[in-house]
Amino acid sequence: MKFRRTAAAVCALTLIAVLGPGEETRPADADLELELEVGRTPLVALTFDDGPRKSTTGPLLDGLALREVPATFFLVGDRVPGNEELICRMAAEGHQIGVHTYGHVILSGLSREEFDAQVGRSRELLERVLGEGEFWLRPPYGIVDGQTALWAQSPLILWSVDPEDWRDQDVERIVSQVLAHAGDGDIILMHDIYPSSVEAALEVVDALLERGFCFVTVEQLMAERQIQPEPGRVYRTLPGAES
């Protein structure tokens, strides 16, 4: 674990350098892909959907804290009541928090009233726990239509690496899939409701730290890549990632 802490400390110093005050941002490029600059520290954003769940999210937070690694959690609104302490811990430990609808429903085709009941209601619940915040949106199943983009009132965060950790809950396969595809600027999708996913995620963190990667939240990744987040715009990966 000494090596992991050392690697995390190096990441922290790198982020202080690249996320310093006063740095201007620019609008996102059309394809969100630029050539990797020589010598640039590779960054990845580890994200988790469908939580929180005490039995799995708690141990995951323990493991991330031990490694000093931040992540982004897209929470389901109906899991917020009863998990307020866990959510406050996420925020206190530097993780980004977003919404994944109230009942994990497909957002396309909903009326405005139905959309607000899924997204607006979830944001209201989080604001009661954490205070005002943007709480970016990840649409379930990655399905987005024009109305979703219009009503989102935040960036729409999808992903570029998906090991389908829900499929067979095979830790070895999940880890292998992520390590085979993760590159600089990627957004990794996992779910913090399965013990196997927690185990796999921490193994992924250890392996990528050893490869010289640094972990950041999605918001930090955008800031480091000088991308100005735009409401209603879909983001799957950020400059430097391979398609």
Side-chain angles (χ1 to χ4, degrees), residues 28-113:
D29 290 335
D31 61 0
L32 295 178
E33 293 181 8
L34 296 176
E35 291 212 11
L36 177 61
E37 298 172 12
V38 175
R40 184 168 69 185
T41 301
L43 304 179
V44 289
L46 183 59
T47 69
F48 296 93
D49 288 4
D50 295 358
R53 176 175 287 172
K54 288 190 176 82
S55 61
T56 47
T57 308
L60 174 61
L61 291 175
D62 292 340
L64 295 175
L66 190 62
R67 293 159 174 80
E68 299 178 353
V69 162
T72 303
F73 291 85
F74 293 98
L75 307 184
V76 176
D78 66 4
R79 291 187 182 274
V80 171
N83 285 308
E84 292 86 353
E85 185 175 345
L86 202 58
I87 294 168
C88 287
R89 179 185 173 187
M90 285 180 188
E93 294 182 357
H95 303 292
Q96 183 179 355
I97 297 172
V99 300
H100 198 44
T101 73
Y102 185 82
H104 201 275
V105 302
I106 295 174
L107 290 172
S108 62
L110 297 185
S111 68
R112 183 58 193 265
E113 182 180 5

Side-chain angles (χ1 to χ4, degrees), residues 207-243:
L208 290 181
L209 285 175
E210 289 181 5
R211 293 184 183 182
F213 281 78
C214 288
F215 287 84
V216 290
T217 66
V218 174
E219 186 174 22
Q220 288 171 336
L221 183 57
M222 286 193 177
E224 195 280 334
R225 294 297 189 250
Q226 300 183 48
I227 299 296
Q228 178 63 51
E230 299 178 23
R233 180 159 188 164
V234 173
Y235 297 89
R236 294 182 176 84
T237 184
L238 296 179
E242 298 179 359
S243 59

Side-chain angles (χ1 to χ4, degrees), residues 123 126-133 135:
R123 286 185 173 137
L126 289 176
E127 286 177 355
R128 292 177 195 172
V129 177
L130 300 173
E132 291 187 5
F135 306 119

Side-chain angles (χ1 to χ4, degrees), residues 93-194:
E93 294 182 357
H95 303 292
Q96 183 179 355
I97 297 172
V99 300
H100 198 44
T101 73
Y102 185 82
H104 201 275
V105 302
I106 295 174
L107 290 172
S108 62
L110 297 185
S111 68
R112 183 58 193 265
E113 182 180 5
E114 291 169 332
F115 184 93
D116 289 343
Q118 289 295 326
V119 178
R121 182 181 181 187
S122 297
R123 286 185 173 137
E124 288 174 2
L125 287 170
L126 289 176
E127 286 177 355
R128 292 177 195 172
V129 177
L130 300 173
E132 291 187 5
E134 294 186 1
F135 306 119
W136 293 356
L137 175 62
R138 170 168 282 171
Y141 311 104
I143 298 174
V144 177
D145 63 2
Q147 294 289 58
T148 300
L150 180 64
W151 297 335
Q153 298 182 324
S154 81
L156 298 165
I157 309 302
L158 300 188
W159 54 86
S160 50
V161 177
D162 178 11
E164 297 185 346
D165 56 323
W166 48 267
R167 179 157 54 91
D168 54 16
Q169 301 179 45
D170 182 325
V171 172
E172 184 177 355
R173 183 197 63 78
I174 295 166
V175 173
S176 177
Q177 282 287 106
V178 175
L179 296 184
H181 295 95
D184 181 58
D186 274 327
I187 299 172
I188 301 170
L189 167 64
M190 299 190 76
H191 300 78
D192 58 319
I193 58 173
Y194 307 111

